[in-house]
Amino acid sequence: MASDRPTRSRSGALCRQLLLTLTILTFACDACKKVTLHVPSKLDAGKFVGRVNLKECFQSANLIHSSDPDFQILEDGSVYTTNAILLSSEERKFTILLSNTDNQEEEKILVLLQHQTKVLKKRHSREKVLRRAKRRWAPIPCSMQENSLGPFPLFLQQIQSDTAQNYTIFYSIRGPGVDREPINLFYVERDTGNLFCTRPVDREQYESFELIAFATTPDGYTPELPLPLVIRIEDENDNYPIFTETTYIFTVPENCRVGSTVGQVCATDKDEPDTMHTRLKYSIIEQLPASATLFSMHPTTGVITTSSSQLDRELIDKYQLKIKVQDMDGQYFGLQTTSTCIINVEDVNDNLPTFTRTSYVTSVEENRVDVEILRVTVEDKDLINTANWRANYTILKGNENGNFKIVTDPRTNEGVLYVVKPLNYEERQQVNLQIGVVNEAPYSKEASSRSVMSTATVTVNVKNQDEGPECSPAVQTVQIRENAPPGTKSDGYKAYDPETKSSSGIRYKKLTDPKGWVTVDENSGSITTFRSLDRETETIRGGAYNITILASGKDGRTCTGTLGIILEDVNDNGPVIPKQTVVICKTVMSSADISAVDPDDPINGPPFDFSLESVPDAGIERMWKLTKINDTAARLFYKNDLPFGPYQVPVRVRDRHGLSVVTPLKVIVCDCVTENDCALRTDPRTGNGEVRLGKWAILAILLGIALLFCILFTLVCGATGTAKQPKAFPDDLAQQNLIVSNTEAPGDDKMCSTNGFTTHTVGSSAQGICGTLGSGVKNGGQETIEMVKGGHQTLESCRGTGHHHTLDSCRGGHVETDTCRYTYSEWHNFTQPRLGEESIRGHTLVKN
C-alpha cells in the first residue's frame, strides 16, 4: 500500500499537467504560436520581461496590441511591464494581437508567463519522459536576464546524458564564470546536471559565457564528449544614453536661410546595439531667450537646423538650448539624459555705416600742408572692431587737384580730413567736397532702391595769409659776355608779392657765389661783375654760372631762387694737343695719331689746321710729315729710317678763326710691338732696358738658394762625421802628409788633411775640428803646428775662438801636448827634404 501511494500521486500530477496543457492548447488553438517566458514572482513597472519574434507570424503588422494592459509590446517584440505585477499564481497569460489596417489581416501570439518554481517542477517531471524519448547530450540554447533579481541560486537548465541509464554519471563544467573570471558565477549539481547562476550579471560587462560540460563515471570514464554550452545574457535597459559633450557650442550667421545647419549632437548607449534599448531619439526641450522657435532638431541624427530666417545679431547674439536624448525610441518609459547647446549668432555686414551729420563746415589757412582740418563720425550697428564695422572713407567730388585726403582713425573709426597740397587763397576761397563711407566687408544684403553708400558734404573755407615774396620762376637767367671787365652791370633776380604782383619793397641778398664773381644790389636785385668771368673755368658746366638769391619781404618772409649767368663765349683759347708724348713702335708702325681740343665754344673751335713748326738747324720737315685725318686729328709720319730714340717735334694747331698754339711733342721711336713695351725700357734707341724680375723668377731664385743650403748642410754633416771617426797617428808623418810650405807664412785659410790636421787662424771665430794629430796656431806670422803623440786614440771635437787649444785626453790613453809642440822652422826643416824627395819621385814617375 505504501508503495502504491507515490505511484498514485505521480499519476495524479501527470493527469493534472495534461489537463492544463490541453486547456492552454484549446485557448491557443487559433493563435499563430505560443511563447513561454520565465519570470520572477514580482515585476516592477517598466521592467523588461522578454522578447517575442513577431515576424514569424506577421511581417507587415503596423498595429501591435496587448490583451493585458499591464504589459506593452514594442515594434521589435520586446515585452515591458507598464505596472508593478505580483504573480499570485504560478502562471499568467495574455495575447499579442498583430494587425494590418491596410488589408485588414490579423494574427495572434499567446504569451505564457511562468514562475521559476513551476519551471523547476515541470522539468523534474519531464526528466524521465525525456530520457526515454530522445538523446539529451547535445548543445542546449540557454539565456538569463541581465541584472536578474533571483532568487539565487537561479536555475538555468539541466544537462543530462543518455548514458545515465546504464552508468552512474557525474556532471561538471569549466570555463569563464566557473574556474575563470568571474569565478563561481555558475555551478552544476554533480548528480542531477542542474545548472545554476549564483548572482546577477551585467551584460555590458559579459555578453555571453561559453562553458564546457563534462559527463564522467565515478571511476573517471567519460562516455560523452565535452559539451559546449553557451549562456547568453539578455539585455536590460539599464544604461542611460550619454551625450558626447556636456555643452555644445555652435555658430550660425545671422539672417541665414531656413534649414541652415547649425551643428550636430551625438549620444551613446552601452546597452545592446540594434535594440530598442539603444534606439535613441533627440529633441529640444527649451530655448532661451524664449522667443519664437528658431531651431529644430532631427530626432534620429541630432542635427540642429534653423527653422526661421529672423536671426538678428543686433537683437540677440546668443541662444541657449536644452536638449534631450531618450532611448526606447523616445517612449515615455525610456531612459533620458539632457545637455546644453549654446548657439552664437555670427555677425554679417547687414547694417550700413551712416554719417551722424549730412554736412560739415571747416576752414584752413592757405599754404598749409599736412594739417588735419576735420573729423567726421559714423554709426554702424554691426559688431565693433570687425570688418563689418570698420569704415572706409573716400572723397567723391571736389578733390580734382589732389589737395585733400581722408583716412580712417583705427581707434575711433572716425574719418580724418587732411590738406596734403597747399591751397591758394588768391585762386580759390572756398572748396566744396562730397565724401562717402562704406565698410571694409562688402554689404551682405541686396541693394535695392536704397543706396549702399552714405554721403555727406564738406565746405572748406580758405583763409588769406600774408605769404611774403614769391620767387617764381625759381630759376632765372641773364647773359654776360665772357671776359667782360669788372664792374659790368646786368639785370638780376626778380621776386614779386603774390597779392600785389609787384616787386617793390623786396630786398635781395646773395646766398651762394662759388667764385665770388658778382655782387647783388640789395634793392633791385641787379648784379655787377666783381672779377673777369672765364667761361672755360673747370667749375662751369655748359657755360652757365649759378648763384643763389634770397628775397625777403617787409614782414621778414623770404623765398630763394637761382640766377643762372649765361657766359657768352669769346675765342680766347687756342687748340692744344693733350697727349704730348707719342710712341711709334718702328717694327709695326710708321706713324702716330694726334688729336687736339679747344675749350672754347664749338663756334670758336674746329676744324683745326695742323702744321710742323720750323726749328732752325733741326731738320723737322726733313724727318717728319703731318697729314690730316679729320677736323680734330692728324697723323704724324717719320721720313727715312730714323734710329731709335726720343725726338722733339713742335706742332702748331689753328682753330677756324686762326688762333693757334704750338705744342712740343715728344716722339719716341722704339723697338717694340706695343707702347707698353717701350715704356719699360730706359734706352729705346738701342733697345737696352732695365731687367725686372717677376714673382715666378723670384720664387725660382729662392728655391735655388734653398737647394744650395741643403747641399751645403749635407756636406758639413758628412765632414763632421768623418772627423769624429778614430784616426791613427802614423810613425812616418812626413811620408803621409804633403804640406805646401813654399811660402814664408801660411795663409788664413783653414786646411783639413785626410789625417786630421787642422790649422786655426788666431782671432778667427770659425769653429775648428780637432783630430788625432793636433792643430796649428799662427802666431805673429809663424805657424805653430801641434802634433799629438800617443796610441790610436780618438779625440772629441773642440771649438777654437782664437786661443791655444788644449786637447783633452781620450778614452784609454794619455795625450802628451807639451812634448809635441814644434815651431814652424823645425817643422819646415823636417818636412822639406822629404817633400823634395817625393817631388823628384813623382817627376820620375811622370817621365816613365
Side-chain angles (χ1 to χ4, degrees), residues 840-848:
I840 295 171
R841 188 182 304 168
H843 183 69
T844 305
L845 290 175
V846 170
K847 288 183 177 181
N848 293 334

Side-chain angles (χ1 to χ4, degrees), residues 206-222:
Y206 304 102
E207 294 184 359
S208 63
F209 297 90
E210 296 182 0
L211 306 179
I212 304 297
F214 301 92
T216 59
T217 60
D219 58 356
Y221 172 68
T222 56

Side-chain angles (χ1 to χ4, degrees), residues 20 114 140 352 483 532 730 734:
L20 180 58
Q114 292 184 353
I140 304 173
L352 290 172
N483 298 330
S532 178

Side-chain angles (χ1 to χ4, degrees), residues 77 128 130 168 239 347 374 406 449 475 514 543 582 589 613 682 784:
K128 296 181 180 180
L130 292 175
T168 299
N239 289 280
D347 183 50
L374 180 66
I406 187 168
S449 59
V475 178
V582 179
M589 64 177 68
E613 185 71 12
T682 58
T784 301

